[in-house]
Amino acid sequence: MSSLTMTLIGGPTALIEIDGFRLLTDPTFDAPRAYQLPHVKLEKLSGPALSADAVGEIDAVLLSHDQHADNLDESGKNFLPKAKRVLTTVAGAERLGGHAEGLAPWASTELSKNGRSLTITATPARHGPAGIEPLSGDVIGFVLTSKDSRPIYISGDTVWYDGVAEVAKRFKAGVVLPFAGAAQTRGPFHLTMDTNDTIETARAFPDAMIVPLHTDGWAHFKQNAGDLRASFDALGFGARLKLLEPGVKTVIELPR
């Protein structure tokens, strides 16, 4: 059976260690600051629990998209060349250049190390309500599959929609990492999962452990990990929700 540990670094950034592979989601290592974008100012409220130097060697960065500072900041961009591989959207790989590799939804690639292999499949994501795509750009999530355990699903920046439901049909994930926080920047709608979306995702993966990311650290996150805890507990399946403490390496039990 595979072993899985996770360390929350902050926001969407987490170190995932599985079967000797070391993976990093959406790298954000800047100190607290503001980012002026064309349509909005984003304010980062807290720094990373681990510095980029402290993370160490990374086999692959799993970058859901490259155009928003709350998923890839300046320090995160500087980190990318240090990773062995960078997996992201097709458009993102073209923008980033270097050794970034673009994956369309449902495309797969394989990591190999010390006689082990890990398949990484890109999954569809929608960064807000229907029609947001020309503004938000392309986004993907990821499914990690090994021969020794059930898949792990990382949603990337997405809301609950039929693309996420399709992931649940194709992969019986044992651990799900929804990007939550109900991010809101452009109008009275959210761009990542709110508590309702996260609950729908948990229902779609009926026995998976839910380990949310992207819940704290930015002013435009309208809900937090505490809101998820209260919602899951009220509905009677709080035992399935695992909240990570920043900077603490945490063992995640993989359902069989």
Side-chain angles (χ1 to χ4, degrees), residues 41-46 184 216-222:
K41 179 184 286 187
L42 300 182
E43 185 180 359
K44 187 174 186 180
L45 303 176
S46 58
Q184 187 178 108
D216 299 274
W218 291 80
H220 63 287
F221 293 0
K222 302 306 180 183

Side-chain angles (χ1 to χ4, degrees), residues 199 227-238:
I199 289 163
D227 295 318
L228 287 172
R229 169 55 65 199
S231 299
F232 273 65
D233 286 350
L235 292 172
F237 50 95

Side-chain angles (χ1 to χ4, degrees), residues 134-147:
L135 298 175
S136 65
D138 294 343
V139 183
I140 55 173
F142 303 91
V143 169
L144 315 179
T145 308
S146 69
K147 66 178 183 179

Side-chain angles (χ1 to χ4, degrees), residues 191-249:
L191 305 173
T192 58
M193 292 190 186
D194 64 0
T195 54
N196 286 359
D197 287 347
T198 307
I199 289 163
E200 291 286 356
T201 301
R203 291 180 68 247
F205 298 90
D207 63 346
M209 181 66 68
I210 308 300
V211 187
L213 303 178
H214 200 280
T215 62
D216 299 274
W218 291 80
H220 63 287
F221 293 0
K222 302 306 180 183
Q223 295 178 345
N224 58 33
D227 295 318
L228 287 172
R229 169 55 65 199
S231 299
F232 273 65
D233 286 350
L235 292 172
F237 50 95
R240 292 181 54 206
L241 183 71
K242 182 72 171 180
L243 300 181
L244 300 175
E245 182 178 346
V248 177
K249 185 174 182 177

Side-chain angles (χ1 to χ4, degrees), residues 8 82 111 171 243:
L8 176 62
K82 302 175 184 178
L111 302 181
F171 297 94
L243 300 181

Side-chain angles (χ1 to χ4, degrees), residues 23-38:
L23 312 171
L24 189 74
T25 60
D26 291 6
T28 55
F29 292 107
D30 284 356
R33 54 165 290 191
Y35 303 83
Q36 184 60 58
L37 304 181

